[in-house]
Amino acid sequence: MTFKTRPNAYSIELASSSRSSCRRCRLAIARGAPRLRIAVFVRPGRATSFFRCAAAECLADPRLAAAVGAACGRIERIHVQPTVDPAVSAAITHRLGSERVSEMVAK
């Protein structure tokens, strides 16, 4: 049986516990720290989540910026959890859509 694939979902949230770790730097993400959540849909009824910490070096990935832009239309339209401070979410979207990353994606 085949199934229709779903695109990954991206959101900015606060870590609910300290058990998650960054997919890039492998460091633990502290409870209450901002993070980028990547929800990956494996098959119908099954999904998994990956996380990236809010550090600039972990978000400065042109492939990640392109994927977020493709899924959300624009990086500024990424879903933000209501408990996240607007200044923090703005900083994260700025890191994702920085000039250097945008230039790399355009090429």
Side-chain angles (χ1 to χ4, degrees), residues 59-62 65-66 95-106:
L59 295 175
D61 182 1
R95 288 177 192 148
L96 277 170
S98 67
E99 296 297 325
R100 185 174 62 102
V101 172
S102 298
E103 289 173 7
M104 294 171 114
V105 171

Side-chain angles (χ1 to χ4, degrees), residues 6 8-9 13 17-18 27 36-37 42 46 58 70 78 86-87 90:
R6 290 177 55 189
N8 297 343
E13 61 183 25
S17 70
S18 59
L27 295 176
L36 175 69
R37 177 178 181 256
V42 181
R46 178 145 185 189
C58 293
I78 191 169

Side-chain angles (χ1 to χ4, degrees), residues 72-94:
C72 300
R74 289 188 0 222
I75 291 175
E76 295 81 21
R77 291 184 183 172
I78 191 169
H79 174 66
V80 179
Q81 190 181 44
T83 56
V84 178
D85 182 29
V88 173
S89 65
I92 292 174
T93 55
H94 177 71

Side-chain angles (χ1 to χ4, degrees), residues 12-67:
I12 298 172
E13 61 183 25
L14 299 178
S16 57
S17 70
S18 59
R19 294 180 296 168
S20 64
S21 61
C22 178
R23 182 87 170 160
R24 179 145 188 227
C25 68
R26 305 283 188 221
L27 295 176
I29 301 172
R31 181 178 186 194
R35 65 183 180 185
L36 175 69
R37 177 178 181 256
I38 306 163
V40 179
F41 302 98
V42 181
R43 61 178 184 218
R46 178 145 185 189
T48 189
S49 294
F50 298 113
F51 302 100
R52 292 268 183 121
C53 65
E57 58 272 1
C58 293
L59 295 175
D61 182 1
R63 292 180 300 164
L64 177 64

